[in-house]
């Protein structure tokens, strides 16, 4: 029986090295340990493919609510040009579940572990909770949605969008399979319904709903206030190394980026400023109080980490 294996006690005590298969072996060892004592685990893989395999395998032994995936895009250039909504949605969902209960098994890749994240208090403050009969200021909601990464559109047709028509607010959060329609009477919520995005017909009536932030790229008000000066300070240092046309082009691009930042126009290409603009840097590890960190294949982790750093520096 795996539960009586001599590897379990040291694994629970967060000590030692274990020679096991990099997918099935580590999954069985973690599952057996977790069933003996529910505690937080972070399993770090060298790439997203391995992370997905371990996640899928663990789901055969552990309740799906106890296993999370936090995927980071391994192609820096690709992520800067076109953010994967699927990866973003999975990350946002996983971070939100950690607020409810930290005794989870979370699997990530090196890119996910290295990713800059907002302060957990800031992230959780951007989670929206709406309840029928409660009062809200619709203008405040609109501003908060934009600040937390949603795009204002005339009609919602995909996730991370919201639309306002009179006293009706449509929002499509990444934790929902369908968008939600919230109807107000003055400042009071009169009804909450999920609706079909293609024909706009209501699917289900709800008493309350929880919606996630639209991004994991969030800056607090102080960081936004200092953003312009911080970026311009570096820009001035760059000027001495560039010819005039090149510098002018760089300045124009940077000024456009600053404008988007200050207007909360969240775009993945702005992620390059994130770590620099934070007063303190945070990562996935800051969302766990006392997690057991399990590294899968040490040499592969070091190789992937080196490649990611070199790729980021070159970009």
């Amino acid at each position: 029986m795996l539960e009586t294996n001599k590897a379990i006690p040291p694994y629970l005590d967060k000590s030692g090295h274990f020679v096991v298969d990099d997918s099935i072996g580590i999954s069985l060892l973690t599952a057996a340990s977790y069933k003996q004592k529910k505690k937080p685990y972070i399993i770090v893989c060298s790439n997203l493919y391995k992370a997905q395999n371990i996640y899928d395998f663990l789901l055969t032994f552990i309740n799906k609510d106890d296993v999370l995936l936090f995927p980071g895009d391994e192609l820096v250039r690709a992520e800067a040009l076109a953010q994967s909504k699927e990866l973003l949605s999975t990350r946002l969902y996983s971070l939100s579940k950690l607020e409810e209960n930290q005794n989870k098994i979370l699997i990530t890749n090196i890119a996910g572990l290295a990713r800059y994240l907002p302060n957990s208090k800031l992230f959780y403050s951007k989670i929206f909770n709406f309840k029928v009969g409660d009062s809200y200021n619709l203008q405040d909601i609109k501003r908060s949605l934009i600040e937390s990464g949603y795009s204002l559109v005339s009609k919602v047709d995909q996730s991370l969008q919201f639309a306002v028509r009179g006293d009706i607010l449509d929002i499509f959060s990444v934790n929902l399979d369908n968008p939600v329609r919230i109807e107000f009477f003055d400042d009071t919520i009169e009804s909450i319904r999920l609706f079909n995005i293609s024909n706009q017909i209501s699917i289900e009536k709800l008493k309350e709903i929880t919606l996630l932030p639209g991004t994991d790229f969030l800056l607090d008000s102080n960081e936004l206030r200092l953003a312009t000066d911080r970026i311009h300070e570096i820009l001035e240092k760059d000027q001495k190394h560039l010819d005039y046309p090149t510098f002018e082009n760089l300045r124009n691009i940077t000024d456009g980026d600053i404008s988007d930042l200050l207007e909360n126009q969240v775009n993945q290409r702005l992620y390059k400023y994130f770590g620099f603009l934070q007063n303190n840097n945070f990562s996935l590890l800051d969302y766990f109080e006392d997690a057991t960190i399990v590294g899968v294949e040490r040499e592969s982790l070091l190789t992937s980490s080196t490649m990611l750093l070199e790729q980021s520096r070159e970009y």
Side-chain angles (χ1 to χ4, degrees):
M1 293 292 291
L2 185 58
E3 289 80 1
T4 61
N5 193 289
K6 293 181 180 180
I8 300 298
Y11 197 79
L12 286 169
D13 290 336
K14 304 190 240 183
S15 62
H17 294 77
F18 304 88
V19 181
V20 293
D21 178 83
D22 64 355
S23 292
I24 298 176
I26 195 65
S27 300
L28 289 172
L29 185 58
T30 304
S33 301
Y34 186 77
K35 286 189 173 183
Q36 284 197 22
K37 184 179 181 180
K38 279 195 172 185
K39 55 190 294 188
Y41 287 90
I42 300 178
I43 299 177
V44 186
C45 303
S46 57
N47 59 61
L48 188 53
Y49 176 76
K50 288 183 179 180
Q52 184 72 58
N53 281 346
I54 292 176
Y55 172 76
D56 292 338
F57 199 80
L58 276 170
L59 289 178
T60 63
F61 299 99
I62 305 294
N63 187 300
K64 66 178 183 178
D65 291 332
D66 293 329
V67 186
L68 302 171
L69 181 66
F70 189 87
D73 199 319
E74 292 160 347
L75 300 175
V76 175
R77 286 178 173 83
E79 184 177 21
L81 295 173
Q83 176 175 250
S84 167
K85 278 194 176 181
E86 182 179 356
L87 297 187
L88 173 62
S89 299
T90 305
R91 289 199 301 268
L92 295 174
Y93 175 79
S94 294
L95 292 180
S96 71
K97 299 301 288 185
L98 293 178
E99 184 191 28
E100 300 172 9
N101 180 4
Q102 292 212 335
N103 290 327
K104 309 282 189 184
I105 302 173
L106 185 145
I107 304 95
T108 189
N109 55 336
I110 282 291
L113 189 67
R115 186 176 182 83
Y116 290 116
L117 292 175
N119 183 318
S120 59
K121 291 182 179 179
L122 175 61
F123 178 82
Y124 294 137
S125 73
K126 299 297 183 180
I127 294 177
F128 300 87
N129 296 290
F130 297 109
K131 187 176 182 179
V132 172
D134 286 355
S135 295
Y136 304 84
N137 185 298
L138 188 53
Q139 292 303 315
D140 289 344
I141 294 174
K142 288 169 60 177
R143 183 175 62 255
S144 296
L145 285 168
I146 292 172
E147 290 175 353
S148 63
Y150 284 84
S151 299
L152 175 61
V153 295
S154 58
K155 180 182 178 182
V156 170
D157 59 15
Q158 57 182 294
S159 62
L160 305 182
Q161 294 180 340
F162 77 100
V164 180
R165 299 185 314 282
D167 292 332
I168 298 176
L169 172 65
D170 291 346
I171 312 172
F172 201 165
S173 174
V174 294
N175 63 316
L176 301 175
D177 293 328
N178 295 284
V180 63
R181 177 162 294 155
I182 303 174
E183 296 188 36
F184 289 82
F185 180 76
D186 289 334
D187 288 338
T188 303
I189 291 182
E190 196 171 49
S191 69
I192 300 174
R193 300 172 185 271
L194 296 177
F195 68 93
N196 186 298
I197 200 168
S198 59
N199 58 25
Q200 301 289 302
I201 296 176
S202 296
I203 299 172
E204 182 181 357
K205 190 174 182 179
L206 305 171
K207 291 183 177 180
E208 56 185 307
I209 192 76
T210 296
L211 307 175
L212 301 187
T215 182
D216 56 0
F217 172 20
L218 297 167
L219 295 169
D220 63 33
S221 56
N222 182 54
E223 290 165 341
L224 283 172
R225 181 177 59 83
L226 297 174
T228 301
D229 290 341
R230 286 179 173 175
I231 295 175
H232 278 154
E233 182 180 341
I234 296 299
L235 193 60
E236 289 176 6
K237 293 179 181 179
D238 290 340
Q239 184 174 8
K240 66 182 72 172
H241 303 292
L242 302 170
D243 58 68
Y244 182 76
T246 303
F247 175 72
E248 281 298 296
N249 185 47
L250 176 62
R251 184 166 63 179
N252 290 335
I253 293 172
T254 305
D255 285 343
D257 289 345
I258 292 173
S259 177
D260 288 345
L261 279 169
L262 297 181
E263 294 176 5
N264 291 294
Q265 297 296 319
V266 178
N267 188 300
Q268 189 57 31
R269 63 184 172 78
L270 302 180
Y271 175 77
K272 61 187 176 183
Y273 297 104
F274 194 19
F276 171 68
L277 294 178
Q278 287 182 303
N279 292 329
N280 296 291
N281 295 139
F282 301 93
S283 74
L284 188 58
L285 299 180
D286 294 292
Y287 284 71
F288 283 91
E289 292 182 359
D290 189 30
T292 297
I293 303 172
V294 181
V296 181
E297 289 190 311
R298 182 176 183 274
E299 293 305 317
S300 295
L301 291 174
L302 291 173
T303 300
S304 294
S305 179
T306 300
M307 289 177 61
L308 182 64
L309 288 172
E310 289 178 350
Q311 187 185 125
S312 299
R313 183 172 60 249
E314 288 174 3
Y315 182 73

